[in-house]
């Protein structure tokens, strides 16, 4: 869930710790200080009085400083921050009831203790699967950490790892190729794990600003933006779902070799080994730099293999970069952009239909998804529920076995030639609703974003498409979009876009304008056009109740010129406002939108939404 949405749900006391930390960062002149100052300039009372959207923006501008602040917290080794952060950044754990978080914490502590015992036994057992080289790596790291932690005792100080010592230890772990989980196991074999009361755990995480806790809902919230920051701290370059997507493209012998290198049981089945690699925190970069290639592969062969993996497997064409490192960074950036993108790839209705038919064809899928993402609800195959956890259609399909996907394709008459997952996504795209979800992008004529969101359209068609979508919205609001009557009125010179027939010779005229530029500002041109439409309607003895102009946005000058016009009963409505009115209307008690609410010059969205909610 996005930070702004979480802040909207919470009271001021529940946000207080987070606000204080960001305020403190701002007071120390952060890198983006000037941009932050602009956002704060409208408020004399500091960050507390800024709206939640701007707080979210300010957090993104201070994310690097916030990361450094959290990294300092890691010097207090007894805090168990590594354990706790690994829990809250896991896919599906961004919203948790307190008792569910407590259960996950207990399970993690228990698993860690068992694995530490097994690791210590492997140290002593000459016949263990651990190679001598790996034992040596573990022993080197363990000895260095032991010295860093206990050298304070010799000097009569509290035991801790200083920032300088920590940076050396982290460098050592990277050079030895240790995974996050291997580091964690060795750390806690030196420092015994003590289970902390869950209220203390929550309080600690809340006080350092990484979680929010709603007392009313008894629920923990971790913002999507926060998860990305914490993941960088834990050196997990991509979300688990993207890591899994990449690993599933590798042949089993390669997966076995990675498992062997990181002390993962090779007797597990293919999917379990993949989950083990993800849980181990094996570096995604190191995996693509060395682990997935045949022994002795040249640099050219590695580049070719990586290009094939991305183009044929991940469907990412023309991966940027000339060196192997640059290509891997480009792939990480691609996954980061996909994760930040709020678009689903198919419409919300299409997602719900996909989930319903998956549930019917594969009855065990609900439990599989529930277990995979550690979700608390019993039935989880609901589009809005999954999207709140940033789980999208592709993430669900990635978890289904090849044989089950093939069965699902046959059961639902979906094309089987080509890539199965892409065929399924295309089948459930639900084009009209997908266009509606991209209404703003059509209005702004943003071809790149439309293409990224699965819509292929010519630029010359965008004006007509914006008009068609506006008609769909007004029909959805209960209006009679009278095409037949409009065509009777229109002449070769005057072509009204949309005519809403209210009956009794009363009409609303709607004009639609797209614009690449921010702030529509061509009032003189559009006013002449609208006045000619007004005259056309009056000649036909029609009463014009309202003229509406719909555009992505309007400049201040345009609004002022509109206010000064005395000849037309004209109101301006932005595409975003119209979309939000439509969404609110769908859950309101009204069968037809009360058009009397269109009475402002620039339509006041907040007032209309409030009226619809009564």
């Amino acid at each position: 869930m996005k930070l702004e949405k979480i802040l909207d749900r919470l009271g001021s006391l529940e946000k207080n710790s987070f606000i204080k930390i960001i305020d403190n960062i701002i007071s120390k002149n952060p890198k983006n200080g000037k941009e932050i100052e602009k956002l704060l300039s409208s408020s004399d009372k500091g960050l507390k009085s800024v709206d939640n959207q701007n707080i979210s923006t300010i957090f993104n501008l201070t994310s690097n400083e916030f990361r450094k602040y959290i990294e300092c917290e890691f010097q207090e080794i007894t805090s168990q921050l590594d354990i706790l952060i690994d829990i809250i950044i896991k896919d599906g754990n961004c919203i948790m009831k307190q008792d569910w978080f407590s259960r996950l914490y207990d399970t993690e502590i228990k698993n860690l203790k068992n694995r530490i015992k097994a690791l210590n036994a492997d140290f002593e057992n000459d016949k263990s699967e651990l190679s001598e080289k790996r034992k040596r790596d573990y022993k080197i790291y363990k000895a260095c950490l032991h010295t860093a932690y206990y050298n304070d005792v010799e000097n009569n100080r509290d035991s801790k790892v200083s920032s300088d010592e920590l940076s050396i230890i982290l460098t050592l772990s990277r050079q030895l190729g240790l995974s996050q989980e291997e580091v964690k196991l060795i750390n806690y074999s030196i420092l015994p794990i003590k289970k902390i009361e869950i209220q203390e755990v929550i309080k600690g995480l809340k006080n350092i600003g990484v979680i929010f806790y709603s007392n009313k809902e008894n629920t923990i919230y971790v913002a999507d933006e926060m998860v990305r920051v914490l993941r960088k701290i834990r050196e997990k370059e991509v979300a688990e779902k993207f890591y899994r997507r990449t690993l599933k493209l590798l042949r089993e012998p390669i997966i076995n070799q990675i498992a062997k290198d990181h002390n993962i049981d090779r007797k597990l089945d293919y999917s379990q080994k993949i989950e083990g690699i993800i849980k181990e925190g094996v570096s995604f970069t190191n995996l693509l730099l060395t682990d997935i290639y045949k022994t002795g592969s040249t640099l050219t062969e590695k580049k070719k293999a990586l290009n094939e993996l991305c183009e044929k497997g991940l469907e990412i064409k023309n991966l940027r970069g000339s060196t192997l490192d640059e290509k891997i960074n480009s792939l990480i950036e691609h996954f980061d952009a996909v994760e930040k993108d709020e678009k689903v790839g198919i419409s919300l209705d299409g997602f719900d239909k996909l989930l319903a038919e998956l549930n019917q064809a594969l009855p065990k899928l609900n439990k599989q998804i529930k277990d995979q993402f550690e979700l608390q609800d019993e039935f989880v195959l609901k589009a809005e529920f999954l999207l709140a956890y940033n789980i999208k259609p592709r993430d669900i399909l990635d978890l289904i076995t090849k044989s089950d996907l093939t069965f699902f394709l046959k059961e639902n008459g979906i094309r089987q030639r080509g890539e199965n997952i892409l065929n399924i996504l295309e089948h459930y795209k639900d084009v009209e609703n997908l266009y509606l979800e991209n209404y703003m992008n059509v209005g702004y004529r943003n071809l790149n974003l439309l293409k990224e969101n699965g819509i292929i359209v010519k630029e010359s068609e965008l004006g007509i498409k914006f008009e068609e979508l506006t008609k769909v919205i007004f029909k959805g609001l209960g209006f009679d979009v009278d095409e037949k009557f409009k065509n009777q009125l229109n002449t070769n010179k005057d072509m009204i876009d949309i005519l809403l027939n209210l009956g009794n010779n009363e009409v609303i005229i709607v004009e639609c304008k797209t614009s690449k530029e921010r702030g529509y500002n061509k009032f003189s041109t559009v006013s002449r056009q609208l006045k000619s439409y007004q005259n056309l309607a009056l000649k036909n003895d029609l009463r014009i109740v309202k003229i509406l102009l719909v555009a992505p946005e309007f400049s201040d000058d345009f609004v002022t010129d509109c206010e000064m016009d005395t000849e037309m009963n004209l109101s301006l409505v932005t595409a975003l406002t119209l979309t939000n009115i439509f969404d609110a209307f769908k859950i309101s008690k009204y069968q037809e939108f009360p058009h009397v609410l269109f009475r402002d010059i620039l339509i006041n969205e907040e007032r209309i939404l409030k009226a619809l909610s009564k």
Side-chain angles (χ1 to χ4, degrees):
M1 189 178 285
K2 295 283 180 281
L3 177 59
E4 182 187 347
K5 288 185 178 178
I6 293 173
L7 293 172
D8 286 342
R9 299 176 76 136
L10 302 172
S12 56
L13 282 174
E14 293 163 334
K15 300 185 250 187
N16 206 30
S17 297
F18 175 77
I19 298 291
K20 278 183 179 177
I21 292 160
I22 303 303
D23 245 337
N24 188 45
I25 290 172
I26 293 169
S27 70
K28 294 177 180 175
N29 298 317
K31 181 183 175 184
N32 296 314
K34 287 184 180 178
E35 291 175 66
I36 294 166
E37 194 58 41
K38 286 178 186 176
L39 294 169
L40 293 173
S41 60
S42 59
S43 170
D44 298 327
K45 298 177 183 177
L47 195 60
K48 281 188 178 180
S49 57
V50 173
D51 64 50
N52 292 331
Q53 184 179 11
N54 279 330
I55 290 175
S56 177
T57 303
I58 288 168
F59 174 71
N60 288 327
L61 291 170
T62 59
S63 61
N64 285 334
E65 288 83 0
F66 186 88
R67 188 172 94 189
K68 288 173 185 173
Y69 150 74
I70 295 296
E71 283 169 349
C72 290
E73 295 290 325
F74 269 84
Q75 290 177 49
E76 180 52 62
I77 287 190
T78 56
S79 67
Q80 298 183 5
L81 259 186
D82 49 357
I83 297 172
L84 298 170
I85 286 178
D86 285 350
I87 292 172
I88 65 177
I89 65 174
K90 191 177 185 299
D91 291 343
N93 286 352
C94 57
I95 306 171
M96 291 179 284
K97 292 290 185 185
Q98 179 187 308
D99 63 329
W100 188 251
F101 179 51
S102 178
R103 196 180 308 176
L104 294 177
Y105 173 65
D106 289 349
T107 302
E108 185 64 21
I109 296 292
K110 185 179 177 182
N111 288 342
L112 266 175
K113 286 180 176 178
N114 289 336
R115 294 181 65 207
I116 288 166
K117 279 182 186 176
L119 181 65
N120 289 335
D122 280 339
F123 272 132
E124 305 301 326
N125 185 0
D126 294 333
K127 295 181 180 179
S128 76
E129 288 204 357
L130 267 181
S131 68
E132 288 304 313
K133 179 181 178 298
R134 207 56 177 158
K135 281 184 183 179
R136 183 208 64 184
D137 293 342
Y138 286 176
K139 285 175 180 176
I140 289 171
Y141 178 81
K142 187 174 183 178
C144 292
L145 183 65
H146 188 279
T147 300
Y149 186 65
Y150 284 107
N151 61 7
D152 291 312
V153 176
E154 294 172 13
N155 294 309
N156 202 25
R157 294 194 300 261
D158 288 337
S159 293
K160 70 173 187 177
V161 178
S162 69
S163 57
D164 288 341
E165 289 170 334
L166 185 62
S167 66
I168 293 168
I169 292 294
L170 289 173
T171 302
L172 178 64
S173 70
R174 282 193 289 270
Q175 292 303 311
L176 293 173
L178 300 182
S179 70
Q180 288 285 351
E181 206 65 14
E182 287 170 316
V183 167
K184 198 193 290 182
L185 289 175
I186 298 170
N187 287 354
Y188 288 106
S189 67
I190 293 172
L191 182 75
I193 306 172
K194 292 180 182 177
K195 189 178 161 192
I196 307 169
E197 286 296 321
I198 201 64
Q199 286 291 352
E200 285 301 307
V201 170
I202 291 171
K203 184 181 176 183
L205 291 173
K206 183 170 172 276
N207 285 345
I208 62 171
V210 297
I211 69 166
F212 296 96
Y213 183 68
S214 167
N215 293 306
K216 183 180 176 183
E217 298 172 356
N218 202 26
T219 300
I220 292 162
Y221 293 97
V222 192
D224 294 343
E225 298 91 328
M226 184 66 71
V227 168
R228 286 193 286 273
V229 171
L230 297 177
R231 203 186 289 137
K232 284 179 181 176
I233 291 169
R234 297 296 290 141
E235 298 186 348
K236 295 185 178 182
E237 302 104 319
V238 297
E240 291 177 0
K241 56 190 177 184
F242 301 127
Y243 204 152
R244 183 180 299 109
R245 189 177 300 175
T246 307
L247 287 172
K248 286 185 79 172
L249 297 170
L250 304 177
R251 294 182 301 110
E252 190 154 11
I254 295 173
I255 294 295
N256 283 337
Q257 185 56 48
I258 299 167
K260 182 183 177 183
D261 289 344
H262 294 282
N263 199 26
I264 297 165
D265 188 356
R266 283 171 291 160
K267 296 187 185 74
L268 298 170
D269 69 31
Y270 181 71
S271 296
Q272 288 172 323
K273 280 180 284 199
I274 284 176
E275 295 307 318
I277 292 167
I278 295 168
K279 185 170 174 54
E280 277 293 313
V282 176
S283 165
F284 186 71
T285 296
N286 287 348
L287 184 93
L288 298 181
L289 275 173
T290 56
D291 294 356
I292 67 170
Y293 311 106
K294 294 176 184 174
T295 305
S297 293
T298 64
L299 186 58
T300 303
E301 287 168 340
K302 286 181 179 181
K303 284 186 197 175
K304 184 181 177 184
L306 183 59
N307 283 335
E308 286 181 1
L309 180 77
C310 292
E311 289 177 14
K312 295 179 181 177
L314 296 168
E315 297 290 325
I316 303 167
K317 308 297 180 188
N318 303 318
L319 192 67
R320 290 184 295 106
S322 54
T323 68
L324 197 60
D325 284 296
E326 286 171 349
K327 287 179 180 294
I328 293 167
N329 285 335
S330 294
L331 179 58
I332 291 169
E333 285 169 9
H334 167 79
F335 283 143
D336 192 41
V338 171
E339 187 181 16
K340 287 178 183 175
D341 187 5
E342 292 186 52
K343 299 299 177 186
V344 184
I346 62 178
S347 72
L348 195 62
D349 287 345
F351 192 11
D352 263 326
K353 186 181 179 187
L354 167 63
L355 291 170
E357 293 183 359
L358 279 170
N359 186 48
Q360 189 173 356
L362 307 170
K364 294 179 182 178
L365 183 64
N366 181 68
K367 186 177 185 306
Q368 184 187 349
I369 300 303
K370 182 179 182 297
D371 293 345
Q372 179 68 60
F373 294 110
E374 295 180 336
L375 301 170
Q376 191 169 4
D377 287 34
E378 282 307 314
F379 186 74
V380 299
L381 297 180
K382 298 169 286 187
E384 285 197 8
F385 173 82
L386 291 172
L387 290 175
Y389 290 86
N390 204 15
I391 300 169
K392 298 176 183 175
R394 177 68 192 254
D395 307 328
I396 298 295
L397 296 173
D398 277 336
L399 294 170
I400 301 173
T401 63
K402 210 169 199 176
S403 58
D404 280 346
L405 276 180
T406 303
F407 173 74
F408 180 71
L409 288 162
K410 290 176 181 175
E411 281 288 294
N412 291 276
I414 300 170
R415 187 164 65 97
Q416 294 178 54
R417 288 187 65 186
E419 217 283 306
N420 287 345
I421 288 177
L422 296 181
N423 288 341
I424 292 170
L425 292 174
E426 184 64 32
H427 184 79
Y428 289 93
K429 189 174 274 187
D430 187 357
V431 175
E432 184 177 278
N433 278 314
L434 187 58
Y435 265 110
L436 280 173
E437 289 171 13
N438 282 273
Y439 184 53
M440 288 285 290
N441 291 330
V442 174
Y444 277 121
R445 309 183 73 84
N446 195 329
L447 279 174
N448 289 335
L449 266 179
L450 289 169
K451 189 176 179 181
E452 284 175 22
N453 294 327
I455 293 174
I456 307 299
V457 62
K458 294 177 183 175
E459 186 171 9
S460 58
E461 298 170 353
L462 289 173
I464 296 296
K465 182 55 68 176
F466 189 65
E467 183 183 316
E468 288 173 355
L469 293 171
T470 307
K471 286 177 188 175
V472 171
I473 291 173
F474 277 109
K475 283 178 183 175
L477 290 170
F479 287 104
D480 177 8
V481 179
D482 199 332
E483 287 291 294
K484 187 177 179 182
F485 190 23
K486 181 191 80 170
N487 292 335
Q488 289 172 3
L489 289 175
N490 280 350
T491 66
N492 291 334
K493 184 182 175 186
D494 298 316
M495 304 283 287
I496 296 169
D497 282 349
I498 300 171
L499 190 76
L500 308 181
N501 192 342
L502 305 179
N504 299 319
N505 285 339
E506 294 184 337
V507 295
I508 294 175
I509 294 171
V510 182
E511 179 68 10
C512 305
K513 295 293 181 187
T514 61
S515 176
K516 272 187 179 180
E517 299 169 8
R518 293 277 162 173
Y520 193 73
N521 57 8
K522 301 172 183 175
F523 184 78
S524 58
T525 304
V526 78
S527 64
R528 285 195 298 271
Q529 189 180 5
L530 292 175
K531 282 170 187 173
S532 67
Y533 296 163
Q534 178 177 264
N535 293 333
L536 179 66
L538 293 173
K539 279 180 189 176
N540 285 273
D541 299 321
L542 296 173
R543 177 174 173 267
I544 302 169
V545 172
K546 175 66 68 177
I547 298 175
L548 289 172
L549 179 61
V550 184
E553 61 177 86
F554 301 94
S555 68
D556 292 340
D557 288 343
F558 192 100
V559 176
T560 301
D561 289 342
C562 186
E563 287 172 339
M564 301 298 288
D565 186 273
T566 57
E567 297 180 35
M568 292 184 292
N569 184 11
L570 175 62
S571 287
L572 312 176
V573 56
T574 67
L576 180 60
T577 291
L578 188 58
T579 300
N580 290 338
I581 288 170
F582 183 37
D583 289 340
F585 175 78
K586 285 187 281 190
I587 58 173
S588 73
K589 66 182 179 182
Y590 295 95
Q591 298 299 310
E592 184 179 329
F593 180 81
H595 61 78
V596 292
L597 294 175
F598 287 140
R599 57 173 176 262
D600 313 294
I601 297 298
L602 180 63
I603 296 298
N604 185 323
E605 177 187 318
E606 188 178 343
R607 179 180 57 77
I608 292 179
L609 297 188
K610 192 173 180 181
L612 290 174
S613 67
K614 287 183 177 178

